Amino acid sequence: MKHSFGSDNHSGVHPEIMDAIVKANQGYELAYGDDNYTKKAENAIKNLFGCECEVFFVLNGTGANCTSLKHVSDSFSAVICSDHAHINVDECNAPEIIAGCRMITLPNCNGKISAENVLPKLSNIGNQHNSQPKIISISQPTEFGTLYSEQEIRELADMIHSAGGYLHVDGARIANAAVAMNKSIRQITCDLGVDILSFGGTKNGMMIGEAVVIFNKRILASGNFKYIRKQSAQLLSKMRYIGAQFCAYLNNNLYLKLAENANGMAKYLASELENVECVKITSPVETNAVFAKMPEDKIKKLLQKHMFYIWDEEKSIVRWMCSFSTTKEDIDEFVNDIRNL
């Protein structure tokens, strides 16, 4: 297809990252993360955060989320998340199967949950008849492309910490959040009390691989994550190809530049559609996602030429995603076809 607004996963690999993969393909390296590329990438991420943390590479976002949750949960634990959270909707029960804990979902407001809504769910802590809330998991950005403020994240962290639990962030698009908030990734994660981060890259120009970054010293003390990663089939033998990608991804702030383009194209798309009568933007456009309501017949006609997904068929809401490779020309052609409807 010429261009897809279906997902930022539909884009290819950025040339600099592909070049890094090709260069890493020379000669021999040790397996299972003992190679020089992986060690260099781990150090690059540690330097990015500038705080005591440990970095573990995994194959994909679901793997990052599941191993993170398993590492800090028991069989009687529960994870509090949005009803639209990726771990609840799009991971085929993998968190429940791999982590072995229950999902407690809360209604979302533009993709977000609040400390106020979480508080009643903590009332069962200590009750032997109920699953025990141990983790709050949020997506930053959310599945609606919206953002938790620094204050909202801090409130959630403080709340779960006071209950002896942990805050996990699904950061599949964390670079988009950092660009949108004009903050470093450290400032919107570990500085706010985040304990574990799923640090994504495949939605922003990488081919394969994510990183689990653990900040909490109490979690680090166990030293058990490497065993959980292996048990969960997330330990890649030829790890150098993930390490090489992350080295290129972080070099010269490439990850921020790619996210900046994706965010900018989404805002440009939204602005171009402001005066188009058949389109109503339904959620704030804060990162690289645009949600809009359109008449059903016009959605069907537009799908004949362009790739995107219907988010809510009953309400005729669609989702348009922009990526690092989306261009102004792509947007202009798309908007023109919408106007012609």
Side-chain angles (χ1 to χ4, degrees):
M1 65 188 83
K2 182 179 179 183
H3 185 81
S4 172
F5 290 98
S7 172
D8 37 11
N9 272 327
H10 292 179
S11 59
V13 178
H14 188 272
E16 290 183 35
I17 295 174
M18 183 65 80
D19 186 53
I21 295 173
V22 173
K23 288 179 179 178
N25 199 39
Q26 308 301 312
Y28 293 82
E29 285 284 347
L30 295 176
Y32 300 110
D34 291 327
D35 61 278
N36 291 318
Y37 293 97
T38 298
K39 293 174 182 177
K40 184 178 178 181
E42 289 172 350
N43 288 331
I45 292 177
K46 290 178 181 179
N47 290 335
L48 177 69
F49 289 100
C51 61
E52 185 177 346
C53 64
E54 288 295 333
V55 180
F56 300 89
F57 295 117
V58 295
L59 293 172
N60 51 45
T62 296
N65 291 336
C66 291
T67 52
S68 295
L69 299 178
K70 182 176 178 61
H71 188 42
V72 294
S73 63
D74 300 294
S75 59
F76 49 82
S77 297
V79 179
I80 299 173
C81 63
S82 158
D83 54 355
H84 271 289
H86 202 272
I87 59 173
N88 182 55
V89 176
D90 293 306
E91 295 185 352
C92 196
N93 292 346
E96 288 94 336
I97 297 298
I98 295 174
C101 54
R102 182 188 174 203
M103 295 289 139
I104 297 178
T105 61
L106 297 175
N108 74 88
C109 179
N110 279 326
K112 299 191 290 184
I113 59 175
S114 67
E116 180 182 3
N117 290 338
V118 168
L119 184 59
K121 299 301 181 181
L122 303 181
S123 62
N124 288 327
I125 291 179
N127 186 333
Q128 64 182 330
H129 302 291
N130 300 111
S131 56
Q132 299 296 292
K134 187 73 175 291
I135 307 156
I136 295 175
S137 180
I138 62 173
S139 299
Q140 180 74 329
T142 71
E143 284 69 29
F144 288 84
T146 54
L147 295 164
Y148 284 90
S149 69
E150 292 173 86
Q151 180 180 346
E152 288 170 326
I153 296 174
R154 172 58 73 182
E155 287 176 352
L156 289 169
D158 289 345
M159 176 170 287
I160 196 65
H161 290 162
S162 67
Y166 305 101
L167 178 62
H168 165 256
V169 170
D170 179 348
R173 298 182 176 94
I174 195 67
N176 300 86
V179 167
M181 299 173 76
N182 195 26
K183 299 283 183 180
S184 70
I185 294 182
R186 169 179 173 156
Q187 289 174 314
I188 61 173
T189 54
C190 63
D191 284 356
L192 300 177
V194 173
D195 299 295
I196 309 178
L197 169 68
S198 297
F199 184 6
T202 54
K203 288 180 169 63
N204 195 35
M206 283 177 48
M207 177 184 287
I208 186 174
E210 313 277 306
V212 173
V213 187
I214 303 175
F215 306 111
N216 186 293
K217 293 180 181 179
R218 183 160 44 128
I219 302 173
L220 289 172
S222 76
N224 290 335
F225 188 88
K226 59 184 178 181
Y227 308 118
I228 290 169
R229 176 174 62 175
K230 180 66 175 180
Q231 280 189 337
S232 305
Q234 287 293 318
L235 178 63
L236 180 66
S237 57
K238 295 185 178 181
M239 190 76 78
R240 61 168 140 166
Y241 297 106
I242 294 179
Q245 288 178 86
F246 267 102
C247 287
Y249 188 58
L250 299 177
N251 187 45
N252 293 324
N253 291 327
L254 177 62
Y255 69 109
L256 297 178
K257 297 171 185 175
L258 302 184
E260 185 175 17
N261 182 77
N263 289 4
M265 290 298 99
K267 289 186 179 297
Y268 177 63
L269 172 58
S271 67
E272 290 295 293
L273 292 172
E274 280 183 359
N275 298 319
V276 177
E277 189 174 335
C278 68
V279 177
K280 180 183 178 182
I281 306 298
T282 58
S283 297
V285 181
E286 297 181 326
T287 50
N288 63 322
V290 177
F291 288 81
K293 184 173 183 177
M294 293 180 67
E296 182 181 351
D297 62 320
K298 298 188 187 304
I299 292 175
K300 290 180 178 179
K301 290 180 180 178
L302 192 61
L303 280 169
Q304 293 174 7
K305 187 171 182 181
H306 296 277
M307 171 62 202
F308 59 90
Y309 291 113
I310 301 173
W311 181 262
D312 188 327
E313 193 165 353
E314 185 178 342
K315 296 180 180 179
S316 291
I317 294 176
V318 297
R319 185 190 75 166
W320 298 318
M321 296 296 299
C322 296
S323 74
F324 79 91
S325 59
T326 304
T327 67
K328 186 174 179 291
E329 289 71 27
D330 295 326
I331 301 292
D332 289 340
E333 179 183 350
F334 187 58
V335 171
N336 185 61
D337 288 338
I338 293 174
R339 285 176 175 153
N340 287 338
L341 292 175

Short mmCIF file of all heavy atoms in Angstrom, two decimals, residues 28-60:
data_model
loop_
_atom_site.label_atom_id
_atom_site.label_comp_id
_atom_site.label_asym_id
_atom_site.label_seq_id
_atom_site.Cartn_x
_atom_site.Cartn_y
_atom_site.Cartn_z
N TYR A 28 31.05 -12.43 14.18
CA TYR A 28 30.47 -13.22 15.25
C TYR A 28 30.34 -12.40 16.53
O TYR A 28 31.15 -11.52 16.81
CB TYR A 28 31.33 -14.46 15.54
CG TYR A 28 31.35 -15.47 14.42
CD1 TYR A 28 32.21 -15.30 13.33
CD2 TYR A 28 30.51 -16.57 14.43
CE1 TYR A 28 32.22 -16.22 12.28
CE2 TYR A 28 30.51 -17.49 13.40
CZ TYR A 28 31.38 -17.31 12.33
OH TYR A 28 31.37 -18.21 11.30
N GLU A 29 29.28 -12.70 17.27
CA GLU A 29 29.06 -12.08 18.58
C GLU A 29 28.48 -13.14 19.51
O GLU A 29 27.82 -14.08 19.06
CB GLU A 29 28.09 -10.89 18.49
CG GLU A 29 28.67 -9.64 17.88
CD GLU A 29 29.58 -8.87 18.83
OE1 GLU A 29 29.56 -9.18 20.05
OE2 GLU A 29 30.31 -7.98 18.36
N LEU A 30 28.72 -12.97 20.80
CA LEU A 30 28.12 -13.87 21.77
C LEU A 30 26.60 -13.74 21.75
O LEU A 30 26.07 -12.71 21.33
CB LEU A 30 28.65 -13.57 23.18
CG LEU A 30 30.14 -13.83 23.40
CD1 LEU A 30 30.54 -13.40 24.81
CD2 LEU A 30 30.49 -15.29 23.15
N ALA A 31 25.91 -14.78 22.20
CA ALA A 31 24.45 -14.81 22.14
C ALA A 31 23.83 -14.40 23.48
O ALA A 31 24.51 -14.20 24.47
CB ALA A 31 23.98 -16.21 21.76
N TYR A 32 22.51 -14.29 23.44
CA TYR A 32 21.68 -14.07 24.64
C TYR A 32 22.04 -12.82 25.44
O TYR A 32 21.93 -12.79 26.66
CB TYR A 32 21.72 -15.31 25.54
CG TYR A 32 21.22 -16.55 24.85
CD1 TYR A 32 22.10 -17.57 24.50
CD2 TYR A 32 19.88 -16.69 24.50
CE1 TYR A 32 21.65 -18.71 23.83
CE2 TYR A 32 19.41 -17.82 23.84
CZ TYR A 32 20.30 -18.82 23.50
OH TYR A 32 19.84 -19.93 22.84
N GLY A 33 22.48 -11.77 24.74
CA GLY A 33 22.72 -10.50 25.40
C GLY A 33 24.12 -10.28 25.91
O GLY A 33 24.39 -9.24 26.52
N ASP A 34 25.02 -11.23 25.68
CA ASP A 34 26.40 -11.05 26.12
C ASP A 34 27.27 -10.39 25.05
O ASP A 34 28.49 -10.32 25.19
CB ASP A 34 27.00 -12.42 26.49
CG ASP A 34 26.39 -12.99 27.75
OD1 ASP A 34 26.02 -12.19 28.64
OD2 ASP A 34 26.26 -14.23 27.84
N ASP A 35 26.66 -9.91 24.01
CA ASP A 35 27.38 -9.27 22.91
C ASP A 35 27.66 -7.80 23.21
O ASP A 35 27.05 -7.19 24.10
CB ASP A 35 26.56 -9.38 21.62
CG ASP A 35 25.21 -8.70 21.76
OD1 ASP A 35 24.28 -9.33 22.32
OD2 ASP A 35 25.08 -7.52 21.37
N ASN A 36 28.54 -7.22 22.46
CA ASN A 36 28.94 -5.82 22.67
C ASN A 36 27.83 -4.83 22.31
O ASN A 36 27.70 -3.78 22.93
CB ASN A 36 30.21 -5.50 21.85
CG ASN A 36 31.43 -6.23 22.39
OD1 ASN A 36 31.62 -6.31 23.59
ND2 ASN A 36 32.24 -6.78 21.49
N TYR A 37 27.01 -5.16 21.31
CA TYR A 37 25.93 -4.25 20.91
C TYR A 37 24.90 -4.12 22.03
O TYR A 37 24.44 -3.01 22.34
CB TYR A 37 25.24 -4.77 19.65
CG TYR A 37 26.10 -4.75 18.42
CD1 TYR A 37 26.79 -5.90 18.01
CD2 TYR A 37 26.23 -3.59 17.65
CE1 TYR A 37 27.59 -5.88 16.87
CE2 TYR A 37 27.02 -3.57 16.51
CZ TYR A 37 27.70 -4.71 16.14
OH TYR A 37 28.50 -4.70 15.01
N THR A 38 24.55 -5.24 22.64
CA THR A 38 23.57 -5.20 23.73
C THR A 38 24.11 -4.42 24.92
O THR A 38 23.39 -3.60 25.51
CB THR A 38 23.19 -6.64 24.15
OG1 THR A 38 22.59 -7.30 23.04
CG2 THR A 38 22.21 -6.61 25.32
N LYS A 39 25.35 -4.65 25.27
CA LYS A 39 25.95 -3.93 26.40
C LYS A 39 25.99 -2.43 26.14
O LYS A 39 25.72 -1.61 27.03
CB LYS A 39 27.35 -4.47 26.69
CG LYS A 39 27.35 -5.91 27.21
CD LYS A 39 28.75 -6.46 27.34
CE LYS A 39 28.72 -7.92 27.80
NZ LYS A 39 30.09 -8.52 27.87
N LYS A 40 26.32 -2.06 24.92
CA LYS A 40 26.36 -0.64 24.56
C LYS A 40 24.97 -0.03 24.63
O LYS A 40 24.79 1.09 25.12
CB LYS A 40 26.94 -0.47 23.15
CG LYS A 40 27.11 0.98 22.72
CD LYS A 40 27.73 1.06 21.33
CE LYS A 40 27.86 2.53 20.89
NZ LYS A 40 28.43 2.63 19.51
N ALA A 41 23.97 -0.76 24.16
CA ALA A 41 22.59 -0.26 24.18
C ALA A 41 22.08 -0.14 25.61
O ALA A 41 21.39 0.83 25.96
CB ALA A 41 21.68 -1.19 23.38
N GLU A 42 22.39 -1.12 26.46
CA GLU A 42 21.99 -1.03 27.87
C GLU A 42 22.57 0.20 28.52
O GLU A 42 21.87 0.93 29.24
CB GLU A 42 22.46 -2.29 28.61
CG GLU A 42 21.70 -3.55 28.24
CD GLU A 42 22.30 -4.81 28.84
OE1 GLU A 42 23.43 -4.72 29.40
OE2 GLU A 42 21.66 -5.87 28.74
N ASN A 43 23.83 0.47 28.25
CA ASN A 43 24.47 1.67 28.82
C ASN A 43 23.87 2.94 28.28
O ASN A 43 23.73 3.93 29.01
CB ASN A 43 25.98 1.64 28.55
CG ASN A 43 26.71 0.59 29.38
OD1 ASN A 43 26.28 0.27 30.49
ND2 ASN A 43 27.80 0.06 28.85
N ALA A 44 23.50 2.93 27.00
CA ALA A 44 22.88 4.12 26.40
C ALA A 44 21.56 4.44 27.08
O ALA A 44 21.24 5.61 27.34
CB ALA A 44 22.68 3.91 24.91
N ILE A 45 20.76 3.42 27.37
CA ILE A 45 19.48 3.65 28.04
C ILE A 45 19.70 4.08 29.48
O ILE A 45 19.01 4.98 29.98
CB ILE A 45 18.60 2.37 27.97
CG1 ILE A 45 18.19 2.12 26.51
CG2 ILE A 45 17.36 2.51 28.85
CD1 ILE A 45 17.38 0.86 26.30
N LYS A 46 20.67 3.49 30.16
CA LYS A 46 20.98 3.92 31.53
C LYS A 46 21.42 5.38 31.55
O LYS A 46 21.03 6.14 32.44
CB LYS A 46 22.05 3.02 32.13
CG LYS A 46 21.58 1.60 32.43
CD LYS A 46 22.71 0.75 32.99
CE LYS A 46 22.23 -0.67 33.26
NZ LYS A 46 23.32 -1.53 33.79
N ASN A 47 22.22 5.77 30.57
CA ASN A 47 22.65 7.17 30.48
C ASN A 47 21.48 8.10 30.16
O ASN A 47 21.44 9.25 30.61
CB ASN A 47 23.73 7.32 29.41
CG ASN A 47 25.05 6.67 29.82
OD1 ASN A 47 25.33 6.53 31.01
ND2 ASN A 47 25.85 6.27 28.84
N LEU A 48 20.53 7.59 29.37
CA LEU A 48 19.35 8.38 29.03
C LEU A 48 18.58 8.75 30.29
O LEU A 48 18.10 9.88 30.42
CB LEU A 48 18.45 7.58 28.08
CG LEU A 48 17.13 8.22 27.66
CD1 LEU A 48 17.39 9.42 26.77
CD2 LEU A 48 16.26 7.20 26.93
N PHE A 49 18.46 7.80 31.21
CA PHE A 49 17.70 8.07 32.43
C PHE A 49 18.57 8.69 33.52
O PHE A 49 18.06 9.40 34.39
CB PHE A 49 17.05 6.79 32.93
CG PHE A 49 15.91 6.33 32.06
CD1 PHE A 49 16.07 5.33 31.12
CD2 PHE A 49 14.67 6.94 32.15
CE1 PHE A 49 15.04 4.93 30.31
CE2 PHE A 49 13.61 6.55 31.34
CZ PHE A 49 13.80 5.54 30.42
N GLY A 50 19.86 8.44 33.47
CA GLY A 50 20.76 9.07 34.43
C GLY A 50 20.46 8.73 35.87
O GLY A 50 20.70 9.53 36.78
N CYS A 51 19.90 7.55 36.09
CA CYS A 51 19.59 7.12 37.46
C CYS A 51 19.85 5.62 37.55
O CYS A 51 20.06 4.95 36.53
CB CYS A 51 18.15 7.44 37.84
SG CYS A 51 16.91 6.63 36.80
N GLU A 52 19.85 5.10 38.75
CA GLU A 52 20.08 3.67 38.92
C GLU A 52 18.91 2.89 38.35
O GLU A 52 17.77 3.06 38.77
CB GLU A 52 20.25 3.34 40.41
CG GLU A 52 20.62 1.89 40.65
CD GLU A 52 20.86 1.57 42.11
OE1 GLU A 52 21.00 2.52 42.89
OE2 GLU A 52 20.90 0.37 42.45
N CYS A 53 19.19 2.07 37.37
CA CYS A 53 18.15 1.25 36.76
C CYS A 53 18.80 0.06 36.08
O CYS A 53 20.01 0.01 35.91
CB CYS A 53 17.33 2.07 35.75
SG CYS A 53 18.27 2.67 34.31
N GLU A 54 17.96 -0.90 35.72
CA GLU A 54 18.43 -2.05 34.96
C GLU A 54 17.61 -2.15 33.68
O GLU A 54 16.41 -1.82 33.67
CB GLU A 54 18.30 -3.34 35.77
CG GLU A 54 19.30 -3.46 36.91
CD GLU A 54 20.75 -3.54 36.46
OE1 GLU A 54 20.99 -4.02 35.32
OE2 GLU A 54 21.64 -3.12 37.21
N VAL A 55 18.24 -2.63 32.62
CA VAL A 55 17.62 -2.69 31.29
C VAL A 55 17.63 -4.12 30.79
O VAL A 55 18.67 -4.80 30.83
CB VAL A 55 18.36 -1.78 30.30
CG1 VAL A 55 17.72 -1.84 28.92
CG2 VAL A 55 18.42 -0.35 30.81
N PHE A 56 16.48 -4.58 30.31
CA PHE A 56 16.37 -5.92 29.76
C PHE A 56 15.62 -5.83 28.43
O PHE A 56 14.50 -5.32 28.38
CB PHE A 56 15.59 -6.84 30.71
CG PHE A 56 16.22 -6.98 32.07
CD1 PHE A 56 15.90 -6.09 33.08
CD2 PHE A 56 17.12 -8.01 32.32
CE1 PHE A 56 16.48 -6.22 34.34
CE2 PHE A 56 17.70 -8.14 33.57
CZ PHE A 56 17.38 -7.25 34.59
N PHE A 57 16.22 -6.35 27.37
CA PHE A 57 15.59 -6.32 26.06
C PHE A 57 14.70 -7.55 25.86
O PHE A 57 15.05 -8.66 26.26
CB PHE A 57 16.64 -6.24 24.95
CG PHE A 57 17.42 -4.96 24.97
CD1 PHE A 57 18.78 -4.97 25.20
CD2 PHE A 57 16.77 -3.74 24.82
CE1 PHE A 57 19.50 -3.78 25.25
CE2 PHE A 57 17.49 -2.56 24.87
CZ PHE A 57 18.87 -2.58 25.09
N VAL A 58 13.56 -7.31 25.25
CA VAL A 58 12.60 -8.38 24.94
C VAL A 58 12.19 -8.24 23.48
O VAL A 58 12.59 -7.30 22.79
CB VAL A 58 11.37 -8.32 25.87
CG1 VAL A 58 11.76 -8.60 27.31
CG2 VAL A 58 10.67 -6.97 25.77
N LEU A 59 11.34 -9.15 23.03
CA LEU A 59 11.00 -9.20 21.61
C LEU A 59 9.95 -8.20 21.18
O LEU A 59 10.00 -7.66 20.07
CB LEU A 59 10.53 -10.61 21.23
CG LEU A 59 11.60 -11.70 21.32
CD1 LEU A 59 10.97 -13.06 21.11
CD2 LEU A 59 12.69 -11.46 20.29
N ASN A 60 8.95 -7.94 22.04
CA ASN A 60 7.83 -7.09 21.61
C ASN A 60 7.16 -6.42 22.81
O ASN A 60 7.52 -6.68 23.96
CB ASN A 60 6.82 -7.92 20.82
CG ASN A 60 6.42 -9.20 21.54
OD1 ASN A 60 6.14 -9.19 22.73
ND2 ASN A 60 6.38 -10.30 20.81
#
